[in-house]
Amino acid sequence: MRPLRDPVWQRHGISWIWNAQARNQLCTASEVWSLRQFLQAVEQWPRDLPSKHGNTLVVGGLDGSLDLLTPDDAETWLGEEIKEAILSFQSHYQGETALIFWLPCGQDRIKCHPATDSIEWRCAAPDTDRLLPFGRILWGEANEYPQEIFLRDGSQSAGLFHRRIT
């Protein structure tokens, strides 16, 4: 997976971040939308987004919602509801804004396979032995793989960035 040190992920594309410092660079806690707000806004997107001078939307709650579902239901919901909402957002803003999912436990739950660049999500108890094919579900047909976000040289991964999913 290619590393990304450029802050382009704060202005464009779709990202999944788990680093608190990265989230704090984007917005205040009051600017984070709930997953419910995000899903309700589909096809009724606001002109200006709440963060980064109206160009960035940070959404919290995806991880908790996945944890409430069985692995099979989570896979279906992620591929149908969440992906469709992401595609709607992308289409409405024509790739000129950033959609960022705040996953505070993501570093422990996202599993990257360097040999294949595949990304999986570790399910919550009692299904911790199950992995959702996160990348295949959300960007399986994309022409490029996500990049791993680093805030500075030598730091741990802060998240994943994808320019555009299809």
Side-chain angles (χ1 to χ4, degrees):
M1 188 171 307
R2 291 185 352 213
L4 176 68
R5 290 177 180 82
D6 185 299
V8 65
W9 63 272
Q10 297 179 12
R11 299 180 308 274
H12 301 285
I14 315 299
S15 298
W16 297 265
I17 63 167
W18 45 79
N19 178 286
Q21 183 181 1
R23 206 268 351 218
N24 291 339
Q25 289 178 6
L26 298 167
C27 64
T28 63
S30 65
E31 294 172 337
V32 176
W33 276 22
S34 70
L35 188 61
R36 178 181 295 224
Q37 286 174 286
F38 172 68
L39 293 172
Q40 288 176 338
V42 172
E43 303 305 328
Q44 299 172 20
W45 300 108
R47 178 184 162 143
D48 292 320
L49 297 172
S51 303
K52 288 287 190 182
H53 308 291
N55 293 316
T56 301
L57 176 61
V58 179
V59 177
L62 179 62
D63 49 350
S65 296
L66 289 171
D67 288 351
L68 293 173
L69 300 169
T70 66
D72 292 335
D73 288 343
E75 185 170 345
T76 300
W77 179 72
L78 195 59
E80 292 175 4
E81 300 297 321
I82 299 302
K83 184 170 183 176
E84 288 306 313
I86 292 170
L87 292 173
S88 171
F89 180 93
Q90 229 175 218
S91 175
H92 181 79
Y93 295 105
Q94 301 177 347
E96 296 301 316
T97 58
L99 172 60
I100 299 168
F101 289 93
W102 167 235
L103 305 170
C105 66
Q107 187 166 13
D108 297 328
R109 306 287 294 281
I110 296 263
K111 183 168 177 53
C112 302
H113 299 280
T116 61
D117 280 339
S118 64
I119 309 293
E120 295 176 311
W121 176 265
R122 182 171 309 285
C123 295
D127 298 300
T128 55
D129 59 330
R130 297 270 311 264
L131 298 170
L132 294 179
F134 197 78
R136 181 187 57 77
I137 294 167
L138 292 176
W139 59 82
E141 297 177 28
N143 293 325
E144 62 182 55
Y145 293 103
Q147 294 176 276
E148 197 168 11
I149 299 168
F150 291 91
L151 300 182
R152 63 192 159 284
D153 289 338
S155 66
Q156 289 189 335
S157 172
L160 301 172
F161 165 77
H162 211 295
R163 177 61 117 167
R164 182 169 184 81
I165 64 170
T166 57

